[in-house]
């Protein structure tokens, strides 16, 4: 099966940082766009950031622009999400996901959950003092 293994979640104080990582198995990320999504209790899952197949384009949700950075290590089949200046509103379960997109187009985030076929199990990020 095609899966992601996620790591890096945890508890952090407001203003702190975390680095999430997601490694794919069963497929090669060279042909996929990869996105990070999050879901807080009682809320819909929302796109946070994504990167296209070769890293030439990224896309960020408005609320995380300037604070989060997505990057890929294709040789390691891994995508990272560096999260800085975290606030309590960032508390959620964070998921990585992939969609087949072997071309240099901007990856989708808004209303795009269904376009990402392969998902990780999620990692909890809690921002609290």
């Amino acid at each position: 099966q095609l899966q992601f293994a996620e790591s890096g979640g945890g508890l952090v104080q407001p203003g702190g940082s975390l680095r999430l990582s997601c490694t794919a198995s069963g497929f090669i990320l060279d042909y996929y766009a990869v996105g990070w999504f999050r879901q807080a209790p009682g809320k819909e899952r929302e796109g946070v950031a994504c990167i296209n197949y070769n890293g030439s384009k990224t896309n960020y949700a408005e609320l995380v622009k300037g604070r989060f950075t997505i990057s890929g290590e294709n040789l390691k089949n891994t995508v990272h999400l560096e999260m800085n200046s975290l606030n309590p509103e960032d508390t959620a379960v964070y998921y990585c996901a992939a969609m087949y997109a072997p071309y240099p187009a901007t990856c989708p985030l808004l209303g795009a959950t269904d376009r990402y076929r392969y998902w990780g199990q999620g990692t909890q990020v809690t921002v609290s003092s």
Side-chain angles (χ1 to χ4, degrees):
Q1 294 182 341
L2 308 182
Q3 296 181 334
F4 281 118
E6 302 169 344
S7 63
L11 175 65
V12 64
Q13 295 183 1
S17 300
L18 284 174
R19 186 174 189 248
L20 306 182
S21 298
C22 189
T23 299
S25 61
F27 63 106
I28 305 299
L29 292 181
D30 299 54
Y31 303 102
Y32 294 82
V34 176
W36 284 95
F37 296 77
R38 67 187 184 186
Q39 187 167 20
K43 296 184 178 180
E44 298 292 326
R45 188 171 299 185
E46 61 179 356
V48 175
C50 63
I51 187 168
N52 74 339
Y53 79 116
N54 66 356
S56 64
K57 293 182 179 178
T58 57
N59 195 9
Y60 295 93
E62 194 68 30
L63 290 175
V64 308
K65 287 182 178 178
R67 299 190 297 122
F68 291 9
T69 302
I70 189 169
S71 62
E73 294 184 279
N74 280 18
L75 292 178
K76 297 181 179 180
N77 227 25
T78 297
V79 171
H80 305 283
L81 183 68
E82 187 75 34
M83 305 186 296
N84 301 309
S85 301
L86 287 163
N87 58 64
E89 288 69 39
D90 295 315
T91 296
V93 177
Y94 283 70
Y95 302 87
C96 58
M99 62 175 290
Y100 184 70
Y103 35 74
T106 300
C107 46
L109 283 177
L110 183 62
T113 300
D114 292 344
R115 298 181 63 180
Y116 289 80
R117 181 175 180 181
Y118 309 107
W119 291 81
Q121 296 299 306
T123 183
Q124 178 70 48
V125 172
T126 302
V127 185
S128 176
S129 60

